[in-house]
């Protein structure tokens, strides 16, 4: 008699509907767990502020994104978002550009490698948040110190990662380019740069997590606008509904940025598809 | 005067000699196959010809020019792998053969159009015109190597160096690559050095077959001595070049 064979776990692949279901399960579970916890606490004390009901968070969210501030009439939610995204964008852009430049220098030129590689390795060991007071003292409490914190926090990683990627460009390609008469400059812009561009996007995606961390830390300490500032401001009133709205919004933003970067990478560097 | 001259070349990495006392003179247009066991300095010798490395002693000169210190336009190369640029389309890869020597590594305006049509001609000759807009990753191994050869030739080098160019290909593709290379050579008559593991291939394609081996061998220290050219075969006419000569002169002809 034919025995029903039991497949190994590593060979069981979910079908499409099951895959969608499985993806949704943890989200639903977390939501349900929160709803139940909130229900229990509110049943005991309707004034409880710690776990506001999901409907209340929803109402708060709607109020935040549509109603203006009573004093100025500005919708603070969008101003906060814009202020934070601007800081994040400027910081990450500077990091990416400088990281690319130094990554190419260190990766391509043995002299620059000797000069900078160890220095960057040591720099990257400095905890950026420990430098925050210095930044506030040197650059003041304005935008500059927040952007600089993001740059300091993400740049050493980007430089190290990108120079490593440049070093991984096969020696054969560099020799080949030389036999076609390419100068160091042409090798940098026509061989190394295009080959590390997909990696740059990949590295930026990885640095976005730390970048948000440094942004919110800087905003929490000294700011008058921004997502992190708002969260730490309303903390004083135990306004969990506002905090939760902002946290969910930051998560959505981070996810969207990540998704956009992945799309850019796929769209503009189709030849690197298998490496991503 | 010979075209490529290798004069008493030694190469060692640290204290370990790789090749020693290599002397060679090659005429323009010759096809040289280089064979030998693994670790016998074939690839090292090719890197010396390429000027990717400089010999510890002796010198390599091409067409009487002073010995090169780094790879340049006069030497074209095709490696076993990573010979084409994966981020450029097939056509751009050929154009790169001409444009990389420019200050920005590319052509602009009218030059660009002309270079592209020249590239299309090259591609047609390599049988790659139908994939001109694809990226090399979508091509088969044989097509990639044809592209690599086309690209190297687009730069018009004085000598072409092939480092096991067909080593990673299946036997059928390898045979068609032999035909491709033979046809191409009949057209352009370039000086070619090819390193290969395949003796049959070496004798089939080459006019001269150089064998690298270690003439001295210390069983207690296999790395004590380097390799050198131990045989220099004349491989024309299937390895018996004088057969025809003798037939022509010593055998009574019908007429």
């Amino acid at each position: 008699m034919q025995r029903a064979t039991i497949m190994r776990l590593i060979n069981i692949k979910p079908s499409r509907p099951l895959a969608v279901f499985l993806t949704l399960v943890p989200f639903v579970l977390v939501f349900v767990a929160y709803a139940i916890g909130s229900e229990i606490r509110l049943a005991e004390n309707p004034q409880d502020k710690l776990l506001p009901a999901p409907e209340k968070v929803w109402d708060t969210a709607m109020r935040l994104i549509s109603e203006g501030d009573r004093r100025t009439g500005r919708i603070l939610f969008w101003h906060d978002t814009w202020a934070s995204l601007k800081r994040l964008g400027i910081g990450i852009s500077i990091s990416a550009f400088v990281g690319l430049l130094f990554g190419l220098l260190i990766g391509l030129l043995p002299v620059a490698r000797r000069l900078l590689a160890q220095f960057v390795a040591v720099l990257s060991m400095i905890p950026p948040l420990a430098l925050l007071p210095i930044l506030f003292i040197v650059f003041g409490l304005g935008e500059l110190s927040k952007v600089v914190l993001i740059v300091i926090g993400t740049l050493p990683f980007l430089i190290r990662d990108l120079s490593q990627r440049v070093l991984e460009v096969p020696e054969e390609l560099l020799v080949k380019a030389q036999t076609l008469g390419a100068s160091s400059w042409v090798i940098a812009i026509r061989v190394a740069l295009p080959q590390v561009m997909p990696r740059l996007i990949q590295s930026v995606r990885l640095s976005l997590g730390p970048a948000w961390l440094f942004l919110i830390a800087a905003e929490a300490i000294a700011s008058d606008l921004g997502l992190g500032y708002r969260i730490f401001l309303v903390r004083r009133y135990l306004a969990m509904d506002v905090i939760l709205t902002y946290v969910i919004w930051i998560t959505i933003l981070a996810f969207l940025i990540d998704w956009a970067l992945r799309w850019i990478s796929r769209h503009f560097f189709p030849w690197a598809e298998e490496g991503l | 005067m010979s075209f490529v001259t290798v004069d008493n070349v030694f190469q060692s990495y640290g204290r370990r000699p790789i090749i020693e006392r290599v002397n060679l003179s090659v005429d323009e247009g010759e096809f040289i196959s280089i064979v030998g066991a693994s670790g016998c300095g074939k690839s090292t010798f090719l890197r010396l010809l390429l000027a990717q490395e400089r010999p510890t002693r002796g010198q390599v000169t091409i067409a009487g020019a002073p010995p090169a210190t780094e790879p340049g336009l006069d030497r074209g190369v095709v490696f076993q792998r990573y010979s084409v640029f994966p981020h450029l389309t097939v056509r751009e890869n050929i154009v790169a053969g001409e444009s990389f020597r420019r200050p920005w590594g590319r052509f602009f305006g009218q030059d660009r159009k002309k270079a592209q049509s020249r590239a299309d001609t090259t591609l047609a000759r390599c049988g790659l015109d139908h994939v001109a807009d694809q990226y090399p990753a979508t091509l088969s191994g044989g097509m990639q190597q044809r592209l690599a050869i086309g690209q190297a030739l687009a730069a018009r080098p004085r000598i072409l160096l092939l480092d096991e160019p067909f080593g990673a290909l299946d036997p059928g593709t390898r045979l068609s690559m032999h035909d491709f290379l033979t046809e191409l050579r009949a057209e352009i008559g370039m000086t070619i050095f090819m390193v290969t593991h395949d003796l049959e291939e070496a004798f089939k394609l080459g006019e001269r077959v150089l064998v690298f081996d270690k003439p001295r061998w210390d069983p207690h220290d296999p790395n004590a001595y380097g390799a050198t050219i131990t045989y220099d075969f004349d491989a024309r006419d299937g390895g018996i070049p004088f057969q025809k000569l003798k037939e022509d002169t010593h055998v009574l002809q019908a007429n």
Side-chain angles (χ1 to χ4, degrees):
Chain A
M1 203 181 95
Q2 184 87 35
R3 268 185 58 196
T5 50
I6 298 165
M7 277 171 82
R8 288 180 186 81
L9 280 174
I10 57 165
N11 289 328
I12 298 175
K13 296 186 181 98
S15 61
R16 183 80 191 149
L18 182 62
V20 173
F21 173 75
L22 288 175
T23 309
L24 290 176
V25 162
F27 293 99
V28 174
L29 279 184
V30 167
F31 180 78
V32 168
Y34 178 87
I36 292 173
S38 163
E39 188 84 22
I40 292 171
R41 284 190 74 100
L42 289 172
E44 264 178 43
N45 171 16
Q47 298 306 309
D48 183 73
K49 292 190 106 175
L50 225 53
L51 297 181
E55 309 89 70
K56 181 151 187 257
V57 177
W58 177 258
D59 290 342
T60 308
M62 288 302 124
R63 182 171 54 80
L64 285 174
I65 63 174
S66 56
E67 281 177 29
D69 181 49
R70 250 172 277 162
R71 187 164 58 86
T72 57
R74 301 188 305 179
I75 301 176
L76 289 175
F77 185 80
W78 299 118
H79 280 86
D80 285 338
T81 305
W82 173 238
S84 286
L85 283 183
K86 205 168 66 185
R87 290 165 189 152
L88 192 75
I90 295 175
I92 277 284
S93 304
I94 293 175
S95 267
F97 182 76
V98 178
L100 190 60
L101 197 69
F102 278 88
L104 284 172
L105 277 174
I106 293 172
L108 281 176
L109 307 179
V111 175
R113 186 147 64 237
R114 279 273 170 251
L115 183 71
L116 293 171
Q118 287 309 310
F119 182 65
V120 174
V122 170
L123 272 194
S124 69
M125 296 300 158
I126 302 173
L129 280 178
L131 294 179
L132 190 53
I134 302 178
L135 298 183
F136 280 140
I137 293 166
V138 175
F139 297 109
L141 299 177
E143 295 299 297
L144 188 58
S145 56
K146 298 174 190 66
V147 170
V148 171
L149 180 68
I150 295 174
V151 172
I152 288 180
T154 53
L155 185 56
F157 163 77
L158 281 171
I159 292 180
R160 292 182 78 181
D161 194 50
L162 289 172
S163 56
Q164 197 55 44
R165 301 297 153 237
V166 176
L167 282 170
E168 279 168 17
V169 171
E171 179 74 23
E172 283 91 338
L173 289 185
L174 300 183
V175 172
K176 179 95 193 195
Q178 292 179 59
T179 65
L180 301 181
S183 61
S184 302
W185 162 247
V186 169
I187 290 175
I189 60 163
R190 293 282 278 145
V191 182
L193 179 66
Q195 299 236 8
V196 294
M197 276 311 282
R199 291 301 318 191
L200 172 71
I201 292 179
Q202 203 72 346
S203 314
V204 165
R205 280 174 65 194
L206 289 175
S207 344
L208 270 172
W212 275 106
L213 168 73
F214 298 127
L215 173 72
I216 290 172
E219 286 179 345
I221 293 171
S223 185
D224 52 7
L225 205 60
L227 297 167
Y229 161 73
R230 196 68 53 195
I231 289 178
F232 276 80
L233 181 75
V234 301
R235 178 197 56 152
R236 298 173 193 168
Y237 316 118
L238 220 65
M240 279 295 277
D241 48 347
V242 178
I243 295 179
L244 283 175
T245 306
Y246 270 77
V247 169
I248 293 169
W249 177 233
I250 290 173
T251 312
I252 292 172
L253 282 177
F255 185 81
L256 286 179
I257 295 172
D258 188 64
W259 183 85
L261 285 172
R262 211 170 51 201
W263 183 85
I264 290 174
S265 176
R266 288 230 181 103
H267 190 77
F268 289 98
F269 310 106
W271 52 270
E273 187 72 342
E274 54 205 281
L276 297 176
Chain B
M1 165 106 195
S2 72
F3 187 61
V4 178
T5 310
V6 178
D7 183 22
N8 200 31
V9 159
F10 285 64
Q11 177 70 323
S12 35
Y13 297 146
R15 291 184 55 193
R16 192 180 146 207
I18 304 296
I19 54 178
E20 52 185 41
R21 283 179 293 112
V22 174
N23 288 287
L24 181 67
S25 92
V26 172
D27 293 330
E28 184 157 21
E30 274 192 289
F31 191 131
I32 314 286
S33 296
I34 301 169
V35 297
S38 295
C40 268
K42 306 187 296 287
S43 293
T44 303
F45 182 63
L46 205 76
R47 283 199 292 276
L48 290 172
L49 287 175
L50 185 57
Q52 189 183 347
E53 291 173 10
R54 268 159 290 168
T56 36
R57 271 167 69 186
Q59 61 181 26
V60 178
T61 51
I62 294 177
T69 53
E70 56 180 8
L73 266 175
D74 49 352
R75 297 125 207 257
V77 68
V78 173
F79 296 106
Q80 184 175 352
R81 296 175 60 212
Y82 303 122
S83 265
V84 291
F85 300 106
H87 58 282
L88 300 177
T89 63
V90 168
R91 183 186 289 116
E92 285 169 339
N93 259 294
I94 299 284
V95 173
E98 295 182 49
S99 69
F100 268 25
R101 69 194 70 171
R102 308 293 294 248
W104 287 87
R106 50 171 85 239
F107 288 116
F108 299 99
Q110 205 60 41
D111 290 345
R112 189 183 146 86
K113 290 240 171 57
K114 280 183 197 153
Q116 283 187 341
S117 73
R118 277 198 301 276
D120 284 339
T121 318
T122 309
L123 285 177
R125 201 168 62 180
C126 301
L128 293 170
D129 38 352
H130 60 294
V131 289
D133 294 313
Q134 293 181 24
Y135 286 101
T138 62
L139 269 54
S140 71
M143 288 160 100
Q144 286 193 21
Q145 288 307 76
R146 277 196 303 225
L147 176 60
I149 293 171
Q151 182 189 48
L153 293 179
R156 309 204 169 280
R158 304 297 301 268
I159 62 170
L160 181 62
L161 305 165
L162 310 172
D163 192 358
E164 296 181 32
F166 314 131
L169 305 179
D170 62 85
T173 314
R174 198 183 274 225
L175 285 179
S176 66
M177 289 299 290
H178 291 168
D179 295 341
F180 169 69
L181 195 59
T182 311
E183 278 169 31
L184 208 59
R185 204 177 120 62
E187 263 177 68
I188 56 173
M190 180 171 285
T191 313
I192 302 180
F193 291 82
M194 177 180 73
V195 167
T196 178
H197 273 301
D198 186 346
L199 275 178
E200 204 181 315
E201 182 176 272
F203 276 92
K204 180 179 166 189
L205 295 175
E207 291 170 343
R208 262 167 92 179
V209 177
L210 306 179
V211 182
F212 271 78
D213 202 357
K214 293 184 178 178
R216 293 182 292 172
W217 176 261
D218 182 346
H220 302 290
D221 186 3
N223 289 330
Y225 302 112
T228 188
I229 298 174
T230 50
Y231 290 99
D232 184 350
F233 290 108
D234 195 328
R236 284 171 295 178
D237 294 330
I240 39 174
F242 300 112
Q243 185 85 354
K244 219 186 244 170
L245 187 73
K246 288 196 171 161
E247 277 174 4
D248 287 346
T249 50
H250 297 287
V251 177
L252 287 173
Q253 306 290 326
N255 46 357

